[in-house]
Amino acid sequence: MDKERQVKKWIKRIVHSADKRAANFLIAHYFDEIYGYVFKRTSNEEVAMDVTQEIFVSTLQAIDRYDHKKSSFRTWLYQITKRRIADYYRSKEYQLDRLVEHDDEAIDHLASTLGGRVEQIVEIGEISDFVDQLDADSRDIFKLKAFEGYTFRNISQIINVPESTVKASFYATQKLVREAFLCND
């Protein structure tokens, strides 16, 4: 049986009979993918685990509202995922984490451990921070393509927009990044 049909069966069993086993199968089927997506956006294992758990709780609570005629389950799940990640970045927890300063010893250790890569890592972080200031779709499209290597087609399926829109958004964001970071003469 193909995966999409199996997912539909699990969803049907969850909606009609609150089947816990089907819910466990559904979560297990998508867990690694969603956790990886969240981890790449938070860079923190503990936060990624917490947010991923919230995503699946929200998914199961709202599963009766999922409409397979409007989108695939995977697309619907990614929409929930994007909202939960945005909620995290708006949370007080995240704001407090950003205020915590790194001590000089930790920075010195990082510099000695990574040597010349520190500059590159700082630049990637600066680019990521710059892109984070853009609208959610532009940010997500750019990061999925530039940092995670997704194809335009995969991104189109994840965020449920035409591939041509994904390409246009990526190239527009790429131009902004180049202007901001490469043309600083």
Side-chain angles (χ1 to χ4, degrees):
M1 180 181 301
D2 76 330
K3 290 180 183 183
E4 191 65 33
R5 284 193 329 182
Q6 184 62 53
V7 168
K8 286 179 183 178
K9 277 187 161 187
W10 290 331
I11 293 169
K12 188 175 182 179
R13 288 173 35 199
I14 295 167
V15 170
H16 294 296
S17 62
D19 187 325
K20 290 181 182 179
R21 191 165 182 241
N24 287 335
F25 284 132
L26 185 68
I27 291 169
H29 183 72
Y30 287 101
F31 188 86
D32 289 342
E33 178 180 354
I34 296 301
Y35 172 81
Y37 182 86
V38 174
F39 178 73
K40 287 178 182 177
R41 273 146 193 78
T42 62
S43 300
N44 182 308
E45 291 178 13
E46 188 175 313
V47 169
M49 185 60 73
D50 290 345
V51 172
T52 301
Q53 288 174 347
E54 290 173 16
I55 290 164
F56 285 109
V57 167
S58 296
T59 299
L60 292 175
Q61 288 173 340
I63 202 160
D64 60 327
R65 294 190 300 259
Y66 165 66
D67 184 353
H68 70 278
K69 295 174 188 167
K70 291 183 180 178
S71 67
S72 71
F73 179 77
R74 185 173 184 262
T75 298
W76 185 73
L77 179 59
Y78 269 95
Q79 290 169 346
I80 292 171
T81 300
K82 287 170 50 179
R83 284 193 299 273
R84 284 287 168 240
I85 292 169
D87 290 346
Y88 165 71
Y89 280 115
R90 285 191 294 264
S91 73
K92 288 181 182 177
E93 175 189 355
Y94 173 72
Q95 300 305 324
L96 289 173
D97 286 347
R98 288 191 53 111
L99 295 176
V100 175
E101 296 292 328
H102 296 286
D103 64 14
D104 291 336
E105 214 174 280
I107 293 172
D108 290 342
H109 175 70
L110 178 66
S112 66
T113 303
L114 299 175
R117 294 208 46 213
V118 171
E119 227 174 272
Q120 182 183 9
I121 290 168
V122 168
E123 186 171 299
I124 290 170
E126 289 172 353
I127 291 171
S128 183
D129 289 345
F130 175 80
V131 172
D132 284 344
Q133 296 173 25
L134 302 175
D135 66 275
D137 284 340
S138 296
R139 176 188 64 234
D140 290 345
I141 289 168
F142 185 82
K143 286 187 171 186
L144 285 169
K145 181 69 175 157
F147 297 149
E148 298 175 35
Y150 282 80
T151 65
F152 289 125
R153 175 174 283 145
N154 288 345
I155 297 168
S156 170
Q157 293 168 346
I158 290 170
I159 65 171
N160 200 25
V161 298
E163 191 173 336
S164 59
T165 303
V166 171
K167 287 178 181 179
S169 175
F170 174 78
Y171 290 124
T173 303
Q174 184 180 46
K175 182 179 179 186
L176 290 172
V177 168
R178 281 187 177 142
E179 289 171 355
F181 291 93
L182 297 179
C183 299
N184 288 333
D185 295 329

